[in-house]
Amino acid sequence: EGENGVSLILRNMVELSQYDKSELTDFGDSHNVQIFLQPKGVDSVFKFYPDISDDEMYYNLPDFGLKMIFKPTQFTQVNFAVNRVLVRRAVSLLEPEPGDYIGDFFCGIGNFSLAIARRGGFVHGFEGEASLTKRAIANANLNNLDKRAIFDQINLFKNAQSIANGLKKFNKILIDPPRDGASTLVSAIADGGNPKRIVYVSCNSATLARDAGVLVHEKGYKFYGAGLVNMFPNTSHAEAIAWFERTH
């Protein structure tokens, strides 16, 4: 879902019949939905209806004056309206200021990175997927933040030593991992010094609790609090935000 409509991707294992195609076309018309088909892997996704070449979507973060472009196959928070609340809250906990050097891990298309940059911090975003990294760079350029936000592709579930060396330069970091959490990342944090503040956004409270235990009991952070954002209404899932601080 984006500001400019809804896209529906259907995985079709066999070629659709003419009847199916007609039904999908009628559904797209009735509900103002763009329909994509995926006959094989994710790279095979193509727009079925309507027959226009533009398949880009976007959402706005009005608190930060940002427009975020993405394609239907690229990861974004599923509820773009609630995402505005999530970004606002996470950035307020991080408190970016001029002079801060902030790492954004699992940064995706720059959802948090560019909001942080808009508030005055210099941001270095890290993402494992190449297409998302390229999109983050494009969004930084679109919003005239390419001088305040840079992005690199790296596998954040491996490369522990490279991650550890890089973490030392950030006085604050934001972590927004997938459901598997960020055990490699938090384990790579040095026992003292930077980063002084961590804001951790999670879609899986179990892995957040696991990683919070490492940060508090092994890495010397104090847990200041956590809250929930109802990103997934009418389900058992919720998005969580946690805040950790280190004073030594």
Side-chain angles (χ1 to χ4, degrees), residues 137-243:
I137 294 170
N139 280 327
N141 290 330
L142 174 68
N143 291 282
N144 297 314
L145 288 169
D146 51 302
K147 299 294 190 296
R148 303 203 61 80
I150 60 174
F151 299 93
D152 282 308
Q153 181 187 0
I154 183 173
N155 187 332
L156 293 166
F157 296 104
K158 299 179 180 179
N159 306 309
Q161 191 55 53
S162 296
I163 294 170
N165 293 337
L167 280 165
K168 298 174 184 176
K169 62 188 177 184
F170 300 118
N171 61 311
K172 301 173 182 177
I173 64 172
L174 186 141
I175 308 172
D176 181 22
R179 294 186 61 80
D180 289 341
S183 58
T184 300
L185 179 65
V186 299
S187 297
I189 295 174
D191 292 339
N194 283 337
K196 298 294 187 183
R197 179 175 298 186
I198 298 173
V199 173
Y200 192 130
V201 180
S202 173
C203 60
N204 185 352
S205 58
T207 52
L208 171 60
R210 177 200 67 198
D211 294 344
V214 174
L215 291 171
V216 172
H217 298 300
E218 299 179 24
K219 301 298 179 179
Y221 286 89
K222 181 178 179 180
F223 170 65
Y224 273 80
L228 295 176
V229 178
N230 193 16
M231 182 69 72
F232 316 101
N234 303 312
T235 78
S236 60
H237 301 284
E239 199 83 4
I241 311 176
W243 168 25

Side-chain angles (χ1 to χ4, degrees), residues 44-102:
S44 70
V45 172
F46 69 96
K47 180 182 275 189
F48 168 75
Y49 185 82
D51 187 19
I52 55 175
S53 59
D54 184 16
D55 62 352
E56 288 187 340
M57 303 180 70
Y58 73 90
Y59 61 89
N60 295 318
L61 293 173
D63 290 344
F64 303 93
L66 296 173
K67 181 178 182 179
M68 307 296 292
I69 305 290
F70 65 100
K71 289 196 173 186
T73 54
Q74 293 177 324
F75 175 82
T76 60
Q77 295 291 352
V78 67
N79 189 326
F80 82 83
V82 175
N83 180 57
R84 293 175 177 174
V85 179
L86 180 69
V87 174
R88 184 190 313 134
R89 185 59 179 153
V91 173
S92 70
L93 290 173
L94 203 60
E95 293 185 313
E97 299 175 338
D100 282 342
Y101 193 20
I102 300 173

